[in-house]
Amino acid sequence: MDTERHDTVTLRAPARLHLGFLDPSASLGRRFGSVGLVIEGFETEVELGAAVVDRVTADTPEGDAQMERASAYLRTLREHSGRLDTLHLRLLRVLPAHGGFGSGTQLALTIARAFAQWHRLDVGTPTLAHWLGRGQRSGIGIHGFDLGGLIVDGGPAADGRPAPLLSRIALPEEWRILVVQDERKQGLAGNDEKGAMAALGAMPAARSAEICHEVLMRVLPGAASAEFGIFARGITHIQQLLGAYFAPVQNGRAYTSGAVGRLMDWIGASGHEAAIGQSSWGPTGFAIVESQARAEALERTVRAAGLVEPGLALRIVAPRNHGAQVIDRRAMRRVR
């Protein structure tokens, strides 16, 4: 960097899995509402420091592809804050784009929080997200950025401000998630996502009510009391209802990736106790299980059964019950 490395602010933010909308058709007048969880194992990491001239650089090919977007975020942050210091923004790690991990929101928030920390701005994460145009459907990535855990939000406000937090529960530390990525595909985003949502018919109010009932009386109590079976049945049923609803814009399938869908369907029919489904528009699927041992056994079983088709990547990760990490080396130096 143009400055010494101890004069930097580093932000590390986790990925999230979006487990489903509560009411995508606004049967009661408020659209969306979401349930999701934050996971270890996938992170966005940026570094910000002073520079003679503005620079945005990246350490990976995936980061290279996000440099233009990152530069635009910096411009917008300056417009809203009035802070015009020249900076070097370095993209150390980014999440897979359009993979169901919330890559766009996490990139925006890591840059925004690093910018706010650098300038010592007292601005909340929902406000930063609103400045950068994030959270127009889901608030899972915004509240998960701050808190980690299992999150339920109430859908964005009519003026476009991010969704309020309704519930946050720390998931049991021993639970694990088998993440299944189809590295050949991407989920919908941008105008394609808007077009898909517009093409869908209204979700019947009774189906939305059923999803909300599952969240309130299975998912949340199961997580809060570490009753895994109740939690798993709730998540899986929500995913079945949403998979049927979104199938018309996913090539008639509950899963964007046919390979992920075949693996998930096999898990669901195999007798393994797991919460299964697709995060957001995919192509990432997930199977949440009760322990590391069960996750490892499940991975061995699907591999032995020949279900890991070419292009699929499997990883076992833990739930994450804390949010982003800020490392301000300027403050650390003063303490020493």
Side-chain angles (χ1 to χ4, degrees), residues 29-50:
R30 191 175 186 109
R31 201 175 184 193
F32 299 122
S34 302
V35 58
L37 62 89
V38 179
I39 60 172
E40 298 280 11
F42 297 85
E43 281 193 326
T44 300
E45 183 176 6
V46 306
E47 185 179 83
L48 193 68

Side-chain angles (χ1 to χ4, degrees), residues 16-21 99-102 188 193 239 246 250 254 256 278-284 286:
R16 60 89 175 122
L17 298 179
H18 193 277
L19 307 182
F21 288 124
F101 296 106
L188 297 177
E193 181 182 10
Q239 284 282 317
F246 285 104
Q250 294 184 156
T256 297
Q278 171 178 282
S279 178
S280 187
W281 290 103
T284 298
F286 62 84

Side-chain angles (χ1 to χ4, degrees), residues 250-325:
Q250 294 184 156
N251 297 314
R253 301 187 299 246
Y255 293 85
T256 297
S257 163
V260 171
R262 286 185 286 275
L263 191 153
M264 290 297 152
D265 288 343
W266 186 91
I267 293 174
S270 68
H272 288 82
E273 189 170 52
I276 61 172
Q278 171 178 282
S279 178
S280 187
W281 290 103
T284 298
F286 62 84
I288 307 170
V289 295
E290 201 168 3
S291 67
Q292 179 73 23
R294 291 194 177 185
E296 291 173 356
L298 180 57
E299 181 177 2
R300 286 195 301 269
T301 300
V302 297
R303 289 190 184 280
L307 293 162
V308 184
E309 299 178 29
L312 295 188
L314 275 58
R315 188 188 303 187
I316 296 169
V317 302
R320 176 160 164 158
N321 290 319
H322 62 92
Q325 180 184 13

Side-chain angles (χ1 to χ4, degrees), residues 119 174 301:
H119 294 99
E174 63 272 17
T301 300

Side-chain angles (χ1 to χ4, degrees), residues 222-240:
S225 59
E227 295 179 83
F228 180 77
I230 293 172
F231 172 87
R233 287 193 291 276
I235 292 293
T236 299
H237 189 49
I238 289 168
Q239 284 282 317
Q240 289 168 345

Side-chain angles (χ1 to χ4, degrees), residues 3 44 49 56 59 70 80 111 125 146 165 180 193 224 229 332 334:
T3 186
T44 300
V56 177
D59 285 22
H80 282 279
I111 294 171
T125 300
D146 282 339
L165 175 67
V180 182
E193 181 182 10
M332 293 165 63
R334 286 196 298 272

